[in-house]
Amino acid sequence: MQDSSPAAETPKPSRIQRRNRKRILDAALEVFSQYGFRGATLDQIATEAGLSKPNILYYFSGKEEIHVTLLNALMDTWLDPLRKIDPEGDPLEELLQYVHRKLEMSREFPRESRLFANEIIHGAPRMGPDLETVLKPLLEQSATMIDGWVAEGRIAPVDPRHLIFSIWATTQHYADFDAQLQVLMEGQDVLEGASAYLDTLYRRLLTP
Amino acid sequence: MQDSSPAAETPKPSRIQRRNRKRILDAALEVFSQYGFRGATLDQIATEAGLSKPNILYYFSGKEEIHVTLLNALMDTWLDPLRKIDPEGDPLEELLQYVHRKLEMSREFPRESRLFANEIIHGAPRMGPDLETVLKPLLEQSATMIDGWVAEGRIAPVDPRHLIFSIWATTQHYADFDAQLQVLMEGQDVLEGASAYLDTLYRRLLTP
DNA sequence: TGGCTTTTTTACCATTTGGTCAAGTTACGA
DNA sequence: TCGTAACTTGACCAAATGGTAAAAAAGCCA
């Protein structure tokens, strides 16, 4: 065994390792998404996870590593809906489905959305590489696909990148600005209305 | 003089008071918008303002008060474009103008936008009251106005609240997620394209 | 059960940070 | 120009916080 630290990779994690790393990441997601990186404390995370602070540092080398781990894990889930767009499908329906999937993610994973938003707002200090190597190629690929659809006259002419940005903005808004929406729309089922509204919005934009 | 603290109100601020309070608020906006409330330190703000830390605490009773002062000052500027919508004007043009004004604010005041976004993402711990007493009534009033336009058939049927949310989301996105956009759109004039895209988006949605 | 490894805890430490205080220093009206 | 009030600063705290070390406890397997 050339590495005694369990924070290292590969040497097949034990049952306890898996359980506790999961607990820690769950707790960290809760705390980081609520208070931001600087605002969150290891003690908070420890309490939330039901572990002691030194115990947490047995599984992760530090606060930073927990945060980065969360961010990396997030990226995949986050871009999944975009990857799922079928270039062979009906353009309008594919794009609308993308909108609805993204909105659904805001409902199901608001903490992840806020974690991500927080990171970007603060200048993406820990995501620069991922943005460049993962997000950008996918955006370019998707833009090309959409441009193709436009060229074929199957959807109305539109700037594909700004289209995608606006979908990100409008859907994630419901997770990231939830506190505001709770005040403004007290009680009402916000996501229900959002779904109908966004459907109309993008249907009208994209219908040739 | 029943209150020696200059952080108190009314007793007409001196020239130096005005200058230094402004310096501090400018510096604090820069620092808070970049690092968030917890992430910002008084020392950073002091350095940025060119003052000593104790000197800053001579003008403001604490970190919190600086932050709240910024947030309050922000609210007015922020809602100005919404207030400027003319109920007597042409509905479509008024709403499109609103979109463009909001986008312009993202260009001119990105720090303010991020400060606000940060506050909301973290649950609006210092803005609850303002949201309720200032934002909500204005939203309701605007929604009523838009509903009126819809009823008169002057714009297409639309949920006025979600319309406004989507305008906030799409325009502020360009300020709040600037770090991401810089990576994805390196070099290009992002706001230029955004303006054209959003014009099309909302024109198509709202044209009866 | 004994012996080894993995996991957990107790007791600390060093730094950072918001904030205080009392002693200066500067501005300004009489 | 002199005295008072306004302003500024250096020297400190106390609490919070990320992190460490070493010993104790719990698992695990022969």
Side-chain angles (χ1 to χ4, degrees):
Chain A
M1 194 175 300
Q2 76 276 35
D3 192 338
S4 66
S5 159
E9 45 333 285
T10 39
K12 58 175 176 183
S14 73
R15 186 176 44 86
I16 295 177
Q17 291 248 351
R18 273 196 305 279
R19 172 171 55 86
N20 282 354
R21 280 184 66 101
K22 185 172 184 316
R23 276 187 190 172
I24 292 168
L25 290 174
D26 276 357
L29 174 60
E30 181 70 28
V31 178
F32 279 138
S33 69
Q34 205 167 135
Y35 301 97
F37 180 74
R38 276 291 306 269
T41 74
L42 283 177
D43 280 302
Q44 273 178 295
I45 297 173
T47 302
E48 181 83 22
L51 299 171
S52 68
K53 184 169 63 173
N55 202 3
I56 281 188
L57 292 166
Y58 172 75
Y59 292 100
F60 290 91
S61 67
K63 192 181 175 183
E64 179 106 11
E65 200 200 308
I66 303 178
H67 196 248
V68 169
T69 302
L70 279 176
L71 248 23
N72 287 342
L74 177 55
M75 253 304 196
D76 274 333
T77 333
W78 215 235
L79 294 179
D80 204 46
L82 188 53
R83 290 204 179 90
K84 276 215 171 69
I85 296 182
D86 180 6
E88 308 300 321
D90 178 64
L92 182 58
E93 291 312 315
E94 289 294 327
L95 287 169
L96 286 175
Q97 243 182 69
Y98 175 56
V99 170
H100 287 294
R101 269 198 272 252
K102 281 293 286 179
L103 188 61
E104 201 47 43
M105 293 197 69
S106 276
R107 187 206 304 270
E108 274 189 77
F109 309 112
R111 300 178 306 176
E112 282 84 347
S113 185
R114 281 193 281 270
L115 184 78
F116 184 77
N118 212 52
E119 172 71 8
I120 303 294
I121 284 187
H122 292 7
R126 292 163 242 274
M127 288 213 81
D130 264 29
L131 256 37
E132 186 77 47
T133 64
V134 179
L135 186 54
K136 195 174 178 183
L138 185 58
L139 175 73
E140 288 311 314
Q141 183 192 320
S142 306
T144 304
M145 178 184 65
I146 295 172
D147 267 334
W149 286 339
V150 169
E152 296 168 12
R154 303 177 70 189
I155 54 173
V158 69
D159 182 315
R161 289 172 192 80
H162 287 284
L163 168 63
I164 292 174
F165 297 159
S166 80
I167 293 174
W168 290 348
T170 49
T171 55
Q172 292 174 15
H173 182 85
Y174 288 97
D176 302 343
F177 285 69
D178 181 62
Q180 190 182 52
L181 297 172
Q182 286 307 316
V183 173
L184 298 179
M185 303 280 281
E186 36 180 324
Q188 299 170 61
D189 188 342
V190 182
L191 275 298
E192 192 67 27
S195 181
Y197 170 78
L198 293 179
D199 198 278
T200 309
L201 177 65
Y202 289 107
R203 198 175 288 277
R204 283 204 160 222
L205 170 69
L206 296 172
T207 300
Chain B
M1 193 175 300
Q2 75 276 35
D3 192 341
S4 64
S5 160
E9 43 336 283
T10 40
K12 58 172 175 182
S14 72
R15 186 176 44 87
I16 295 177
Q17 291 248 349
R18 272 197 306 279
R19 172 172 54 86
N20 282 353
R21 279 183 68 100
K22 185 173 184 316
R23 278 187 189 171
I24 292 168
L25 290 174
D26 276 356
L29 174 60
E30 181 70 28
V31 177
F32 278 138
S33 69
Q34 205 167 133
Y35 302 98
F37 181 75
R38 276 291 307 268
T41 74
L42 283 178
D43 280 301
Q44 274 178 294
I45 297 174
T47 302
E48 181 84 21
L51 300 171
S52 68
K53 185 168 64 173
N55 202 5
I56 281 187
L57 292 167
Y58 173 74
Y59 290 100
F60 291 90
S61 66
K63 191 181 176 183
E64 179 106 11
E65 200 201 307
I66 303 178
H67 197 248
V68 169
T69 302
L70 278 176
L71 248 25
N72 286 343
L74 177 56
M75 253 303 196
D76 274 332
T77 333
W78 215 235
L79 295 179
D80 204 46
L82 188 53
R83 291 206 179 88
K84 277 213 171 67
I85 296 182
D86 180 5
E88 308 301 321
D90 177 64
L92 181 57
E93 293 311 317
E94 288 295 326
L95 287 169
L96 286 175
Q97 244 183 68
Y98 175 55
V99 171
H100 288 293
R101 268 197 272 249
K102 282 292 285 178
L103 188 61
E104 199 50 41
M105 294 198 68
S106 276
R107 189 206 303 272
E108 275 190 74
F109 309 113
R111 298 178 306 176
E112 281 83 348
S113 186
R114 281 193 280 269
L115 184 78
F116 185 76
N118 212 53
E119 171 71 8
I120 303 294
I121 284 186
H122 292 12
R126 292 163 243 276
M127 288 213 80
D130 263 31
L131 255 38
E132 186 76 49
T133 64
V134 179
L135 186 54
K136 194 174 178 185
L138 184 58
L139 175 74
E140 288 311 314
Q141 183 192 321
S142 306
T144 305
M145 178 184 65
I146 295 172
D147 268 334
W149 286 339
V150 168
E152 295 167 12
R154 303 176 70 189
I155 54 173
V158 69
D159 182 316
R161 290 172 191 79
H162 287 284
L163 168 64
I164 291 173
F165 297 159
S166 79
I167 293 174
W168 291 347
T170 49
T171 55
Q172 292 175 14
H173 182 85
Y174 289 97
D176 302 343
F177 285 69
D178 180 63
Q180 190 182 52
L181 297 173
Q182 286 306 317
V183 173
L184 298 179
M185 303 280 281
E186 36 180 323
Q188 299 170 60
D189 188 343
V190 182
L191 275 298
E192 191 68 26
S195 181
Y197 169 77
L198 293 178
D199 198 278
T200 308
L201 177 66
Y202 290 108
R203 199 176 286 278
R204 283 204 161 224
L205 170 69
L206 296 171
T207 301

